[in-house]
Amino acid sequence: MKKNIYGILRGKFLISDDSFKNWRIIIFISFLAIIMIASSHSADQKVYEIAKLTNEVKELRSAFVDKRGKLMQLKKESFVEAEVMAKGIGISLNPPTKIIVKSKKQQQ
C-alpha cells in the first residue's frame, strides 16, 4: 500500500510502461477543465454585460420620462399662449369658420 502511494506521489504512473493510457486520461481531464474555465469566464462576461445594459435601460427610461414631462408642459395651451404673446401674436377673439369646398360631382 505504501509503495502504491509513494509511486503516485513520485509520478511513476506517468513514466511506467503502460503510462500511455494514464496520459490520455490526464490530457482529457485537462482539456475538460480548460473548457469549463472558458465557459465560466464567458458566462461571467454575459452577466456583466446584462447588468450594464440593465443600468443603461434604466437611465434611458428615466430620460424618456423626463422629456415626456417637458413635452407635456410645452403642449399646454397656456404655455403656447405665453410664448406667442412674447412674440407679439395674440389669440383671435373671433372663432374660426369652416370652409367647405364642394367638388363638381357634389354640385350636380
Side-chain angles (χ1 to χ4, degrees), residues 11-26:
K12 287 188 178 182
F13 68 97
L14 296 175
I15 57 173
S16 65
D17 294 334
D18 60 343
S19 66
F20 180 71
K21 61 182 177 182
N22 294 336
W23 276 105
R24 285 191 329 195
I25 291 175
I26 290 172

Side-chain angles (χ1 to χ4, degrees), residues 35-53:
I35 289 176
M36 188 178 79
I37 291 169
S39 175
S40 174
H41 284 294
S42 175
D44 286 343
Q45 281 182 334
K46 289 177 183 175
V47 167
Y48 289 134
E49 184 70 21
I50 288 170
K52 183 177 115 180
L53 290 175

